[in-house]
PDB file of all heavy atoms in Angstrom:
ATOM      1  N   PHE A 102     106.877  32.585 151.916  1.00  0.00           N
ATOM      2  CA  PHE A 102     108.352  32.982 151.620  1.00  0.00           C
ATOM      3  C   PHE A 102     108.522  34.228 150.794  1.00  0.00           C
ATOM      4  O   PHE A 102     109.297  35.055 151.206  1.00  0.00           O
ATOM      5  CB  PHE A 102     109.076  31.737 150.985  1.00  0.00           C
ATOM      6  CG  PHE A 102     110.459  32.036 150.856  1.00  0.00           C
ATOM      7  CD1 PHE A 102     111.401  31.776 151.856  1.00  0.00           C
ATOM      8  CD2 PHE A 102     111.014  32.516 149.597  1.00  0.00           C
ATOM      9  CE1 PHE A 102     112.712  32.110 151.714  1.00  0.00           C
ATOM     10  CE2 PHE A 102     112.256  32.765 149.408  1.00  0.00           C
ATOM     11  CZ  PHE A 102     113.143  32.586 150.422  1.00  0.00           C
ATOM     12  N   VAL A 103     107.765  34.278 149.753  1.00  0.00           N
ATOM     13  CA  VAL A 103     107.893  35.540 148.894  1.00  0.00           C
ATOM     14  C   VAL A 103     107.479  36.747 149.687  1.00  0.00           C
ATOM     15  O   VAL A 103     108.181  37.771 149.500  1.00  0.00           O
ATOM     16  CB  VAL A 103     106.946  35.368 147.630  1.00  0.00           C
ATOM     17  CG1 VAL A 103     106.755  36.686 146.891  1.00  0.00           C
ATOM     18  CG2 VAL A 103     107.552  34.280 146.655  1.00  0.00           C
ATOM     19  N   THR A 104     106.505  36.637 150.486  1.00  0.00           N
ATOM     20  CA  THR A 104     106.062  37.848 151.278  1.00  0.00           C
ATOM     21  C   THR A 104     107.183  38.181 152.382  1.00  0.00           C
ATOM     22  O   THR A 104     107.492  39.329 152.498  1.00  0.00           O
ATOM     23  CB  THR A 104     104.729  37.596 152.030  1.00  0.00           C
ATOM     24  OG1 THR A 104     103.777  37.307 150.992  1.00  0.00           O
ATOM     25  CG2 THR A 104     104.307  38.829 152.881  1.00  0.00           C
ATOM     26  N   GLU A 105     107.719  37.137 152.995  1.00  0.00           N
ATOM     27  CA  GLU A 105     108.769  37.402 153.966  1.00  0.00           C
ATOM     28  C   GLU A 105     110.172  37.969 153.335  1.00  0.00           C
ATOM     29  O   GLU A 105     110.714  38.906 153.868  1.00  0.00           O
ATOM     30  CB  GLU A 105     109.097  36.093 154.706  1.00  0.00           C
ATOM     31  CG  GLU A 105     107.932  35.603 155.656  1.00  0.00           C
ATOM     32  CD  GLU A 105     108.041  34.088 155.911  1.00  0.00           C
ATOM     33  OE1 GLU A 105     108.934  33.441 155.466  1.00  0.00           O
ATOM     34  OE2 GLU A 105     107.135  33.637 156.518  1.00  0.00           O
ATOM     35  N   LEU A 106     110.428  37.413 152.219  1.00  0.00           N
ATOM     36  CA  LEU A 106     111.631  37.935 151.559  1.00  0.00           C
ATOM     37  C   LEU A 106     111.360  39.395 150.955  1.00  0.00           C
ATOM     38  O   LEU A 106     112.207  40.226 151.087  1.00  0.00           O
ATOM     39  CB  LEU A 106     112.002  37.053 150.320  1.00  0.00           C
ATOM     40  CG  LEU A 106     113.325  37.436 149.671  1.00  0.00           C
ATOM     41  CD1 LEU A 106     114.425  37.404 150.693  1.00  0.00           C
ATOM     42  CD2 LEU A 106     113.668  36.435 148.558  1.00  0.00           C
ATOM     43  N   ALA A 107     110.174  39.634 150.590  1.00  0.00           N
ATOM     44  CA  ALA A 107     109.862  41.045 150.112  1.00  0.00           C
ATOM     45  C   ALA A 107     109.915  42.025 151.321  1.00  0.00           C
ATOM     46  O   ALA A 107     110.410  43.092 151.136  1.00  0.00           O
ATOM     47  CB  ALA A 107     108.409  41.024 149.553  1.00  0.00           C
ATOM     48  N   GLU A 108     109.538  41.476 152.496  1.00  0.00           N
ATOM     49  CA  GLU A 108     109.661  42.394 153.618  1.00  0.00           C
ATOM     50  C   GLU A 108     111.141  42.550 153.940  1.00  0.00           C
ATOM     51  O   GLU A 108     111.606  43.721 154.368  1.00  0.00           O
ATOM     52  CB  GLU A 108     108.952  41.682 154.871  1.00  0.00           C
ATOM     53  CG  GLU A 108     107.470  41.737 154.785  1.00  0.00           C
ATOM     54  CD  GLU A 108     106.761  40.866 155.871  1.00  0.00           C
ATOM     55  OE1 GLU A 108     107.456  40.230 156.605  1.00  0.00           O
ATOM     56  OE2 GLU A 108     105.622  40.875 155.893  1.00  0.00           O
ATOM     57  N   GLY A 109     111.943  41.599 153.745  1.00  0.00           N
ATOM     58  CA  GLY A 109     113.470  41.766 153.905  1.00  0.00           C
ATOM     59  C   GLY A 109     114.004  42.847 152.884  1.00  0.00           C
ATOM     60  O   GLY A 109     114.814  43.688 153.267  1.00  0.00           O
ATOM     61  N   LEU A 110     113.477  42.776 151.663  1.00  0.00           N
ATOM     62  CA  LEU A 110     114.009  43.714 150.611  1.00  0.00           C
ATOM     63  C   LEU A 110     113.689  45.177 151.035  1.00  0.00           C
ATOM     64  O   LEU A 110     114.518  46.109 150.906  1.00  0.00           O
ATOM     65  CB  LEU A 110     113.379  43.414 149.250  1.00  0.00           C
ATOM     66  CG  LEU A 110     113.682  41.987 148.659  1.00  0.00           C
ATOM     67  CD1 LEU A 110     112.951  41.860 147.424  1.00  0.00           C
ATOM     68  CD2 LEU A 110     115.112  41.824 148.615  1.00  0.00           C
ATOM     69  N   VAL A 111     112.413  45.442 151.519  1.00  0.00           N
ATOM     70  CA  VAL A 111     112.136  46.824 151.843  1.00  0.00           C
ATOM     71  C   VAL A 111     112.659  47.144 153.309  1.00  0.00           C
ATOM     72  O   VAL A 111     113.130  48.288 153.537  1.00  0.00           O
ATOM     73  CB  VAL A 111     110.537  47.087 151.874  1.00  0.00           C
ATOM     74  CG1 VAL A 111     110.060  46.945 150.467  1.00  0.00           C
ATOM     75  CG2 VAL A 111     109.749  46.243 152.875  1.00  0.00           C
ATOM     76  N   ASN A 112     112.752  46.181 154.243  1.00  0.00           N
ATOM     77  CA  ASN A 112     113.336  46.467 155.544  1.00  0.00           C
ATOM     78  C   ASN A 112     114.807  46.840 155.487  1.00  0.00           C
ATOM     79  O   ASN A 112     115.408  47.292 156.422  1.00  0.00           O
ATOM     80  CB  ASN A 112     113.056  45.319 156.541  1.00  0.00           C
ATOM     81  CG  ASN A 112     111.731  45.452 157.076  1.00  0.00           C
ATOM     82  OD1 ASN A 112     111.052  46.565 157.114  1.00  0.00           O
ATOM     83  ND2 ASN A 112     111.146  44.305 157.662  1.00  0.00           N
ATOM     84  N   ALA A 113     115.528  46.483 154.358  1.00  0.00           N
ATOM     85  CA  ALA A 113     116.926  46.747 154.201  1.00  0.00           C
ATOM     86  C   ALA A 113     117.137  48.273 154.261  1.00  0.00           C
ATOM     87  O   ALA A 113     118.121  48.843 154.520  1.00  0.00           O
ATOM     88  CB  ALA A 113     117.501  46.187 152.879  1.00  0.00           C
ATOM     89  N   PHE A 114     115.935  49.090 153.947  1.00  0.00           N
ATOM     90  CA  PHE A 114     116.033  50.497 153.973  1.00  0.00           C
ATOM     91  C   PHE A 114     115.534  51.075 155.311  1.00  0.00           C
ATOM     92  O   PHE A 114     115.662  52.222 155.578  1.00  0.00           O
ATOM     93  CB  PHE A 114     115.177  51.068 152.746  1.00  0.00           C
ATOM     94  CG  PHE A 114     115.712  50.707 151.488  1.00  0.00           C
ATOM     95  CD1 PHE A 114     115.126  49.773 150.708  1.00  0.00           C
ATOM     96  CD2 PHE A 114     116.606  51.516 150.864  1.00  0.00           C
ATOM     97  CE1 PHE A 114     115.571  49.485 149.415  1.00  0.00           C
ATOM     98  CE2 PHE A 114     117.067  51.291 149.650  1.00  0.00           C
ATOM     99  CZ  PHE A 114     116.498  50.162 148.877  1.00  0.00           C
ATOM    100  N   ALA A 115     114.805  50.280 156.013  1.00  0.00           N
ATOM    101  CA  ALA A 115     114.012  50.804 157.182  1.00  0.00           C
ATOM    102  C   ALA A 115     114.906  51.338 158.329  1.00  0.00           C
ATOM    103  O   ALA A 115     114.351  52.253 159.077  1.00  0.00           O
ATOM    104  CB  ALA A 115     113.082  49.714 157.757  1.00  0.00           C
ATOM    105  N   GLY A 116     116.057  50.947 158.478  1.00  0.00           N
ATOM    106  CA  GLY A 116     116.937  51.489 159.576  1.00  0.00           C
ATOM    107  C   GLY A 116     117.673  52.781 159.212  1.00  0.00           C
ATOM    108  O   GLY A 116     118.482  53.120 160.013  1.00  0.00           O
ATOM    109  N   GLN A 117     117.403  53.353 158.136  1.00  0.00           N
ATOM    110  CA  GLN A 117     117.990  54.612 157.726  1.00  0.00           C
ATOM    111  C   GLN A 117     117.925  55.657 158.818  1.00  0.00           C
ATOM    112  O   GLN A 117     116.903  55.839 159.342  1.00  0.00           O
ATOM    113  CB  GLN A 117     117.468  55.149 156.438  1.00  0.00           C
ATOM    114  CG  GLN A 117     117.716  54.290 155.197  1.00  0.00           C
ATOM    115  CD  GLN A 117     117.126  54.985 153.988  1.00  0.00           C
ATOM    116  OE1 GLN A 117     117.678  56.021 153.547  1.00  0.00           O
ATOM    117  NE2 GLN A 117     116.094  54.439 153.418  1.00  0.00           N
ATOM    118  N   THR A 118     119.003  56.268 159.102  1.00  0.00           N
ATOM    119  CA  THR A 118     118.941  57.508 160.043  1.00  0.00           C
ATOM    120  C   THR A 118     119.590  58.751 159.425  1.00  0.00           C
ATOM    121  O   THR A 118     119.708  59.749 160.153  1.00  0.00           O
ATOM    122  CB  THR A 118     119.785  57.054 161.299  1.00  0.00           C
ATOM    123  OG1 THR A 118     121.152  56.827 160.966  1.00  0.00           O
ATOM    124  CG2 THR A 118     119.047  55.974 162.012  1.00  0.00           C
ATOM    125  N   ASN A 119     120.040  58.657 158.186  1.00  0.00           N
ATOM    126  CA  ASN A 119     120.542  59.810 157.470  1.00  0.00           C
ATOM    127  C   ASN A 119     119.790  60.475 156.451  1.00  0.00           C
ATOM    128  O   ASN A 119     120.248  61.355 155.806  1.00  0.00           O
ATOM    129  CB  ASN A 119     121.970  59.454 157.061  1.00  0.00           C
ATOM    130  CG  ASN A 119     121.854  58.463 155.905  1.00  0.00           C
ATOM    131  OD1 ASN A 119     120.848  57.856 155.702  1.00  0.00           O
ATOM    132  ND2 ASN A 119     122.875  58.125 155.154  1.00  0.00           N
ATOM    133  N   ASN A 120     118.520  60.118 156.391  1.00  0.00           N
ATOM    134  CA  ASN A 120     117.642  60.669 155.334  1.00  0.00           C
ATOM    135  C   ASN A 120     116.870  61.963 155.970  1.00  0.00           C
ATOM    136  O   ASN A 120     116.339  61.880 157.016  1.00  0.00           O
ATOM    137  CB  ASN A 120     116.626  59.657 154.826  1.00  0.00           C
ATOM    138  CG  ASN A 120     115.813  59.054 155.951  1.00  0.00           C
ATOM    139  OD1 ASN A 120     116.328  58.489 156.870  1.00  0.00           O
ATOM    140  ND2 ASN A 120     114.465  59.159 155.850  1.00  0.00           N
TER     141      ASN A 120
END
Side-chain angles (χ1 to χ4, degrees):
F102 182 82
V103 166
T104 301
E105 292 159 3
L106 187 54
E108 288 172 357
L110 299 177
V111 298
N112 276 342
F114 295 99
Q117 292 181 73
T118 58
N119 62 349
N120 55 304

